[in-house]
Amino acid sequence: IQRRDLVEWIFFDVLVWGVGGILLYLVINSFYVLPVEYVPNVIAAWTLATMIGMIAVFTPAGLGVREITLSALLTPFVVPPFNVIIAVMVRIIVTVFDFICAGIGYAMFKIGSG
């Protein structure tokens, strides 16, 4: 592994966390008006909740752990029960997106294999 490869991987990983945080911010704003100044906080909450969900090896894909963590991290700037609703909505959106990407990947595989 070259240093350049590591830098690229880190760059794209940070990009993915940022896009996920922006998705979370947009979902929050569909339920609850949150000023744009909170975007860094939302990105940090998204990243931390996802990381905690990843290390929760006792649940499949951090199911439940990520939502509880995310709702707790959103509590300072999103009032209950919106924090819980938003955490669950983001899980649904991400899961649907994963299925769409898997379907696209499967279709590309089928086209490529003949």
Side-chain angles (χ1 to χ4, degrees):
I1 298 174
Q2 300 294 323
R3 181 176 290 175
R4 178 184 167 118
D5 295 332
L6 290 175
V7 171
E8 280 182 23
W9 294 343
I10 291 171
F11 170 77
F12 285 115
D13 209 29
V14 169
L15 184 66
V16 166
W17 294 121
V19 169
I22 291 170
L23 166 75
L24 175 60
Y25 177 76
L26 294 174
V27 171
I28 289 170
N29 275 304
S30 68
F31 289 96
Y32 182 83
V33 177
L34 189 66
V36 74
E37 294 85 32
Y38 286 99
V39 169
N41 296 358
V42 171
I43 292 173
W46 170 255
T47 303
L48 187 58
T50 303
M51 295 298 258
I52 290 173
M54 285 182 183
I55 62 172
V57 294
F58 54 88
T59 63
L63 189 62
V65 174
R66 186 186 311 177
E67 289 73 26
I68 291 169
T69 305
L70 186 57
S71 64
L73 291 171
L74 292 177
T75 301
F77 41 92
V78 178
V79 296
F82 291 112
N83 58 343
V84 176
I85 294 168
I86 289 165
V88 172
M89 285 301 300
V90 168
R91 170 60 88 164
I92 292 168
I93 291 168
V94 168
T95 302
V96 168
F97 181 74
D98 286 345
F99 278 119
I100 291 170
C101 288
I104 291 170
Y106 179 74
M108 291 175 69
F109 173 76
K110 292 299 273 186
I111 290 170
S113 64

